[in-house]
Amino acid sequence: SRRLIVAGESGGGNLALATAIKLKRDGDIHLLDGIFSMCPFISGKYEASEVPRDSASASSLEMYEGVVLNRHSLISFALGYGSRSLRNNPLAWPGCAKTEDLSGLPPTCIRVNEFDPLADEGLAMHRSLLQAGVAVRCNVLPGTVHGTDNFFLGMCPEISRETIAAIAAPSDVAKRTTLGRVTLVRAN
């Protein structure tokens, strides 16, 4: 049987989630069997004035500034997604998706790196998907920085191998991963 899983890392994690939202809007979500979004770049709001001190994004942006990514690079990357007018469009920035955008999405895995300025964005998406009733799990990879799954293949081959295996089975939302990761699971 055919299985279609959309997966991506960082900006690709954004595209994986946005693709699923678009398929849902078009009535074609049945074509997708799962979503795997690694360290997703999904809020589009990185300037100090755009990130309230009590928001989900403030903590990791402040604590891990300069660990692979910094606020300036995130702002620059965000400009590549178009004008500020798109900042509230979940097809450009899935982090602003509403419950109605997310409900009915297929089983999803969100992966975040512990020392990543984007970590809280992924955790917030996990919470939003839970609230929308999506079968979702969230893996936090302790001791890792942004993009460890893909960028540091030679340095962390066990993480890369485990990531490839996990992408093959995102519908198994109760599956616990190996390597001592913190796994947040929604029990169905």
Side-chain angles (χ1 to χ4, degrees):
S1 76
R2 175 195 62 79
R3 293 191 67 204
L4 180 60
I5 297 161
V6 63
E9 182 272 329
S10 193
N14 173 317
L15 294 173
L17 291 161
T19 297
I21 293 168
K22 176 68 170 147
L23 286 169
K24 180 183 178 228
R25 286 183 178 183
D26 291 350
D28 293 323
I29 196 63
H30 65 279
L31 299 173
L32 194 58
D33 296 306
I35 306 164
F36 199 93
S37 181
M38 298 168 274
C39 53
F41 175 62
I42 54 175
S43 83
K45 299 175 182 174
Y46 304 102
E47 294 184 31
S49 62
E50 296 177 309
V51 183
R53 299 281 299 160
D54 61 345
S55 81
S57 298
S59 174
S60 64
L61 272 173
E62 293 170 358
M63 292 186 335
Y64 308 122
E65 168 74 18
V67 180
V68 179
L69 297 173
N70 61 45
R71 189 181 297 267
H72 178 74
S73 64
L74 292 171
I75 291 167
S76 296
F77 299 151
L79 291 173
Y81 279 73
S83 72
R84 293 193 193 291
S85 66
L86 296 175
R87 295 284 171 87
N88 294 314
N89 181 340
L91 297 180
W93 297 105
C96 71
K98 307 280 188 254
T99 300
E100 56 269 17
D101 296 314
L102 301 174
S103 65
L105 293 184
T108 302
C109 180
I110 303 290
R111 280 199 139 166
V112 299
N113 303 103
E114 182 181 14
F115 302 117
D116 184 353
L118 302 179
D120 288 342
E121 292 184 37
L123 296 173
M125 177 54 72
H126 174 252
R127 287 189 297 274
S128 295
L129 289 163
L130 281 173
Q131 290 173 347
V134 175
V136 60
R137 76 171 184 251
C138 181
N139 302 126
V140 179
L141 285 68
T144 61
V145 297
H146 183 81
T148 297
D149 296 56
N150 292 322
F151 294 151
F152 305 107
L153 301 175
M155 294 169 48
C156 304
E158 71 284 356
I159 291 175
S160 299
R161 282 192 300 271
E162 198 273 331
T163 297
I164 292 166
I167 290 171
S171 62
D172 184 6
V173 296
K175 179 182 176 190
R176 302 249 176 213
T177 59
T178 58
L179 304 172
R181 284 172 192 59
V182 176
T183 303
L184 308 172
V185 179
R186 176 176 187 211
N188 290 331

